[in-house]
């Protein structure tokens, strides 16, 4: 405005007489600038993280569509709604992503990045935006080196002259991405990704090398709340409690995350998920045999504020770790090693002892041979190792030995184990011994070892097994851990590993002296024990002893007299035994070339109420050869068959529609099964578990159960049924079910 409204401004007139063609006075120019209309400030009205679309593209839709869960090294799109159209030339917005306590850019737990027209390499970025009226669609990208975890996402809008406003857009969870070639967990096979990331059920293989049993397990990594519990596990680790900011910053490293989870699944050092129990008193919790899946365990642990769940053994520890690692985005499988060595003193031998009555003796040593042991393999690139050791890595959450002060194990490269490169981290010597140690069996008496009964170079690390991809069958993967037993390559690798592991002890090692020796001398008789019929719990066990006279240097001809003392003992999962439950003595005389058979009977009354839940018996025999004074050993392990479940589904499975399930169990035993309970579980079929009391099942009778399920999710699902009784803990069955969408034709 003019300072004096009454003043008349005389405009200059040029030579033509036309006013206004001469320069305008300066104060009129200033007035024109002051009256220009101001542009309104950009204000955020709302944000849409487009969880449904993004989760589908990031393979996390099974975790739900209500919140954003994405994988690193892959773009996702969000939509912002403003008070007016966004002007890329004049409006300036900055995105802020933060995770963990006290996030900083230095630690990699905070990222700030401007909106740009195109993505700038493998870094946090916001680009490829489109404008539609007052809406802005933006593509956000997280680098392959980003820390995994729950994030907050904010936007800062610059208002000019140093003023800005920051708005919370929402939260999201960032996971490892095995679909991205830039990620350290990249697995270049969609078939394998469907098995080792997306499959939420599987099998754990248990029992004995000659009686391998598939144990169905519900991993349930996509069930409600499991993703949050996985990060709760990381947040209760000792490393997090000691330095939360640093611990969060290391979660970009899959090796670090695996080692933390391996320690946190057991509770030996911390508020871990499971408490181990290898005894027989489970009164303060559940027997490890009574778990059917990971979901109930993880939810119980979380609801209890981090109190360890009772109880677990190796297959439970490994199955729960599989759930956690698949949930976090690391390809993982469960692996069973039959006759698995626990070589505490790292001398690559496990010594076992028998007395002259064939009784397997307890030992004060911590060394043992588990009937089977279960661990995990996780797929990853090992940037901390020389080239050539990427791929499957052994992780073992069962607390056997400490690693850097905590009960955990791995990752140990499977390739390094096969090649005997036991100097490579982590814990490779221990895992190498689990599958490669030699077994030396001694005759013990008078307080000392009397003679070597057997030196077995191939009895440990048998039938290493995992679930076959895309199938319910078992896959034998022993060849990935070692060369064929007894081959020149296997013995060469063994000697290389023994030199590295024994070190200065090598020169005086009686074990290596044994290896250099010719081994045990020829025996004049061959002994074998066979089962005469399929062993069933509740029945007498029938065996046959086969004895055959063969030539030897000391006694090339003439009869040989033997006294064979037999003993039967309960075989524990740890490889140890209980006190004898049956004994028998047999006298034999064999002439050259002669073969004799003797029948043996182990009555049910001798072993009833004396077996563990695994229902395993070891029958051992020590034969004393009168002519030589030397002894021989014969062994037979027996696994007793439980009754079998039958599960049938009568209709097609459809989401939300009643699905009739028929379950039947016939008690084929000669005794009643008391206090029977049934538990049903299955991700996508049942929310949680269904439990029923069945009472007592009389010998020879059949129980029939019918119930309706209402499937929750489409796709391949598995129903697991576990019936437990006082007498038998593991009567288990499963049924694969394919669920279609509601209303599908």
């Amino acid at each position: 405005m003019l300072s004096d409204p009454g003043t008349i401004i005389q405009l200059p007139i040029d030579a033509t007489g036309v006013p206004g063609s001469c320069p305008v006075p300066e104060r009129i120019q200033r007035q024109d600038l002051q009256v220009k209309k101001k542009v309104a400030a950009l204000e955020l009205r709302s944000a849409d993280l487009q969880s449904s679309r993004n989760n589908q593209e990031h393979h996390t839709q099974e975790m739900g569509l209500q919140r954003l869960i994405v994988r690193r090294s892959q773009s996702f799109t969000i939509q912002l709604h403003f008070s007016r159209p966004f002007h890329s030339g004049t409006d300036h917005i900055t995105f802020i992503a933060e995770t963990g306590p006290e996030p900083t850019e230095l630690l990699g737990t905070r990222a700030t990045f401007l909106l740009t027209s195109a993505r700038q390499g493998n870094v946090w970025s916001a680009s490829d935006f489109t404008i539609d009226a007052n809406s802005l669609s933006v593509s956000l990208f997280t680098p392959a080196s980003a820390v995994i975890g729950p994030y907050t996402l904010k936007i800062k809008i610059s208002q000019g002259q140093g003023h800005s406003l920051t708005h919370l857009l929402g939260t999201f969870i960032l996971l490892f991405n095995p679909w991205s070639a830039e990620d350290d967990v990249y697995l270049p096979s969609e078939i394998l990704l469907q098995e080792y990331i997306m499959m939420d059920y599987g099998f754990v293989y248990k029992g004995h090398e000659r009686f391998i049993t598939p144990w169905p397990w519900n991993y349930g990594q996509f069930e409600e709340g499991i993703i949050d519990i996985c990060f709760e596990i990381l947040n209760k680790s000792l490393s997090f409690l000691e330095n939360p900011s640093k611990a969060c910053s290391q979660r970009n490293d899959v090796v670090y995350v695996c080692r933390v989870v391996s320690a946190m699944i057991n509770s030996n050092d911390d508020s871990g998920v499971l408490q181990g129990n290898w005894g027989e008193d489970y009164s303060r919790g559940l027997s490890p045999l009574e778990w059917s899946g990971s979901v109930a365990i993880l939810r119980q642990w979380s609801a209890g504020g981090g109190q360890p769940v009772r109880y677990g053994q190796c297959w439970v520890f490994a199955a729960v770790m599989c759930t956690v690692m698949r949930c976090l985005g690391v390809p993982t499988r469960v692996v069973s090693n039959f006759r698995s060595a626990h070589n505490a003193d790292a001398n690559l031998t496990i010594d076992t002892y028998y007395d002259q009555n064939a009784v397997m003796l307890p030992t004060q040593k911590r060394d043992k041979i588990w009937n089977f042991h279960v661990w995990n393999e996780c797929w990853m690139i090992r940037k901390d190792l020389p080239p050539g050791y990427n791929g499957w890595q052994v992780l073992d959450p069962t607390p056997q030995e400490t690693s850097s002060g905590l009960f955990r194990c791995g990752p140990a490269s499977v390739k390094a184990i096969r090649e005997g490169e036991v100097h490579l981290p982590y814990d490779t010597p221990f895992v190498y011994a689990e599958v490669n140690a030699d077994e030396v069996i001694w005759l013990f008496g008078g307080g000392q070892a009397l003679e070597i009964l057997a030196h077995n170079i191939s009895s440990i690390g048998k039938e290493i097994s995992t679930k076959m991809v895309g199938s319910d069958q078992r896959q034998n993967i022993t060849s990935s851990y070692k060369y064929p037993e007894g081959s020149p390559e296997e013995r060469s690798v063994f000697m290389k590993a023994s030199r590295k592991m024994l070190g200065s002890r090598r020169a005086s090692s009686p074990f290596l002296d044994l290896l250099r020796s010719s081994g045990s001398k020829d025996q004049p008789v061959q002994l074998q024990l066979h089962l005469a019929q399929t062993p069933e719990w509740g029945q007498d066990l029938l065996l046959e002893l086969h004895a055959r006279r063969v030539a030897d240097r000391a006694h090339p001809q003439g009869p040989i007299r033997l006294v064979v003392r037999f003993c039967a003992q309960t075989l524990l999962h740890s490889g140890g035994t209980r006190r004898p439950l049956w004994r028998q003595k047999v006298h034999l005389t064999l002439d050259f070339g002669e073969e004799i058979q003797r029948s043996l009977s182990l009555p049910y009354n001798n072993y009833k109420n004396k077996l563990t839940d695994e229902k395993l018996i070891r029958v051992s025999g020590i034969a004393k050869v009168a002519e030589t004074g030397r002894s021989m050993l014969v062994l037979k392990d027996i696994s007793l068959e439980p009754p079998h479940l039958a599960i049938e589904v009568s209709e097609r499975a459809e989401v939300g529609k009643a699905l009739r399930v028929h379950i039947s169990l016939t008690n084929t035993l000669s005794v009643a099964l008391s206090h029977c309970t049934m538990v049903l579980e299955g991700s996508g079929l049942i929310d949680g578990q269904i439990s029923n009391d069945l009472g007592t099942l009389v010998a020879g009778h059949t129980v029939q159960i019918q119930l309706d399920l209402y499937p929750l999710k489409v796709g391949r699902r598995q129903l697991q049924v576990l019936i437990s009784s006082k007498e038998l803990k593991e009567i288990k069955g499963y049924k694969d079910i394919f669920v279609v969408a509601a209303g599908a034709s």
Side-chain angles (χ1 to χ4, degrees), residues 380-423:
M380 68 189 75
I381 293 171
R382 291 295 301 273
K383 294 178 178 177
D384 58 324
L385 299 184
Y389 297 100
N390 299 330
W392 290 117
Q393 314 287 320
V394 171
L395 275 301
D396 190 351
T398 299
Q400 295 193 88
E401 298 291 333
T402 59
S403 174
S404 301
L406 299 179
F407 279 96
R408 58 184 169 184
C409 181
S413 164
V414 173
K415 177 73 177 299
I417 295 163
R418 188 173 195 259
E419 300 301 331
E421 303 296 348
V422 293
H423 62 288

Side-chain angles (χ1 to χ4, degrees), residues 33-53:
L33 290 171
Q34 289 171 348
V35 299
K36 277 186 178 180
K37 185 178 181 181
K38 288 187 176 181
V39 176
L42 186 69
E43 298 177 3
L44 182 69
R45 293 284 189 254
S46 64
D48 179 5
L49 300 186
Q50 301 191 335
S51 301
S52 178
R53 170 187 167 185

Side-chain angles (χ1 to χ4, degrees), residues 270-501:
D270 41 45
S271 299
V273 175
L274 281 158
Q275 180 176 329
N277 186 341
W278 287 267
E280 296 166 50
D281 180 9
Y282 306 118
S283 58
R284 299 179 64 190
L286 274 184
S287 161
L289 292 168
E290 294 184 71
W291 297 112
S292 295
S294 306
V295 176
I297 293 170
L298 290 167
R299 285 177 176 169
Q300 182 178 326
W301 176 81
S302 178
Q307 286 296 310
V309 176
R310 297 170 174 155
Y311 292 102
Q313 289 183 11
C314 62
W315 69 91
V316 186
F317 289 116
V320 172
M321 183 164 182
C322 183
T323 296
V324 173
M325 298 315 299
R326 285 187 184 180
C327 187
L328 295 177
V330 181
T332 304
R333 62 189 186 183
V334 174
V335 173
S336 298
N337 177 38
F338 291 88
R339 289 192 55 80
S340 184
H342 180 169
N343 189 206
D345 55 11
N347 68 350
L348 284 175
T349 57
I350 307 294
D351 297 311
T352 54
Y353 301 90
Y354 289 82
D355 70 13
Q356 293 175 338
N357 294 312
V359 177
M360 184 179 177
L361 301 174
T363 175
Q364 299 303 313
K365 289 186 176 182
R366 292 174 55 226
D367 285 8
K368 65 187 71 170
I369 303 174
W370 300 94
N371 296 328
F372 68 94
H373 182 56
V374 185
W375 57 66
N376 300 100
E377 287 179 2
C378 294
W379 181 275
M380 68 189 75
I381 293 171
R382 291 295 301 273
K383 294 178 178 177
D384 58 324
L385 299 184
Y389 297 100
N390 299 330
W392 290 117
Q393 314 287 320
V394 171
L395 275 301
D396 190 351
T398 299
Q400 295 193 88
E401 298 291 333
T402 59
S403 174
S404 301
L406 299 179
F407 279 96
R408 58 184 169 184
C409 181
S413 164
V414 173
K415 177 73 177 299
I417 295 163
R418 188 173 195 259
E419 300 301 331
E421 303 296 348
V422 293
H423 62 288
L424 297 176
Y426 290 88
D427 311 306
T428 309
F430 183 77
V431 183
Y432 180 85
E434 286 185 296
V435 299
N436 284 295
D438 281 7
E439 179 185 22
V440 180
I441 303 175
W442 300 85
L443 180 64
F444 194 86
Q448 62 181 349
L450 301 176
E451 63 176 296
I452 293 177
L453 295 171
H455 168 215
N456 298 322
I457 65 171
S458 60
S459 64
I460 287 173
K462 309 293 286 184
E463 296 290 332
I464 304 175
S465 303
T466 192
K467 177 186 176 296
M468 191 175 289
V469 174
S471 166
D472 288 350
Q473 300 301 307
R474 179 178 67 90
Q475 181 181 1
N476 187 325
I477 58 171
T478 307
S479 61
S480 67
Y481 279 83
K482 54 186 176 180
Y483 290 97
E485 293 284 8
S487 66
E489 296 90 348
E490 185 266 341
R491 285 290 97 183
S492 174
V493 167
F494 187 89
M495 294 304 295
K496 175 174 70 173
S498 68
R499 284 192 292 269
K500 292 179 179 180
M501 291 174 66

Side-chain angles (χ1 to χ4, degrees), residues 62 191 194-195 198-201 203 467-472 682-685 713-719 735-740:
E62 287 281 318
I191 294 174
Q194 289 301 314
E195 181 72 44
M198 302 303 294
M199 185 68 72
D200 59 5
Y201 63 86
F203 297 95
K467 177 186 176 296
M468 191 175 289
V469 174
S471 166
D472 288 350
S683 290
L685 297 172
K713 296 179 180 180
V714 300
R716 293 165 57 194
R717 305 292 164 190
Q718 188 181 83
L719 175 66
K735 184 72 174 178
D736 291 337
I737 299 172
F738 189 84
V739 182
V740 300

